[in-house]
Amino acid sequence: DSQTRLKAIIDTAIDGIITIDRHGVIETMNPAAARIFGYEPEECIGQNVSILMPEPDRSLHDKYIENYHRTGVGQIIGKGREVLGKKKDGTVFPFRLSISEVNLQDKQLFTGIVHDITELKKAEAALRESE
Ligand code: HEM
């Protein structure tokens, strides 16, 4: 059925897909997102998404979401941004984050797409050094 197909697509995606509730609590994480951040999905579900980022964003992320609810203006929604993530082992790495807002009948959630750009950044640095 269509739900099985959709799950297969999300489970095999290369990019990480994370959903959070309106307060920033992780509800779902696909296998790619778990691999990128070095966790098992079960370790993250129910935790604040801020566990996946270094300071200063880690302490500010709840405020970012609150500002969005108050003003309706998003800094990343609809635009995307390069941000830093933090893996379970403490490694900080760059990724491209896209966020979309999903308004279901009874609840609001946010979907984040995580595209790791560690290798791209390394290649760019090597290119600069060779110039
Ligand atoms: C806003 C950082 C992951 C949902 C923001 C902002 C930053 C940020 C810098 C905008 C702050 C501002 O200028 O107002 C990060 C970092 C992440 C991360 C470093 C690394 C893990 C996520 C994920 C989601 C998410 C995975 C969703 C699943 C949101 C929402 C907002 C936001 C809903 C408010 C709307 C907006 O500004 O577009 N985040 N974020 N964030 N983030 Fe994150």
Side-chain angles (χ1 to χ4, degrees), residues 62-106:
D62 283 353
K63 292 230 167 54
Y64 297 159
I65 297 178
E66 276 170 34
N67 286 344
Y68 177 68
H69 289 313
R70 202 179 57 249
T71 64
V73 180
Q75 301 306 314
I76 300 183
I77 290 178
K79 307 178 184 117
R81 192 186 288 191
E82 265 183 35
V83 297
L84 295 176
K86 190 173 182 181
K87 298 181 196 245
K88 185 180 179 181
D89 72 5
T91 309
V92 173
F93 69 102
F95 72 91
R96 177 86 194 169
L97 173 65
S98 321
I99 304 171
S100 51
E101 180 181 346
V102 185
N103 285 296
L104 301 176
Q105 248 172 14
D106 53 339

Side-chain angles (χ1 to χ4, degrees), residues 22-48:
R22 66 190 314 283
H23 304 293
V25 175
I26 298 172
E27 293 194 326
T28 68
M29 198 178 209
N30 74 340
R35 180 179 44 73
I36 291 168
F37 287 97
Y39 287 97
E40 294 300 323
E42 303 74 48
E43 295 179 275
C44 296
I45 290 161
Q47 306 280 340
N48 193 300

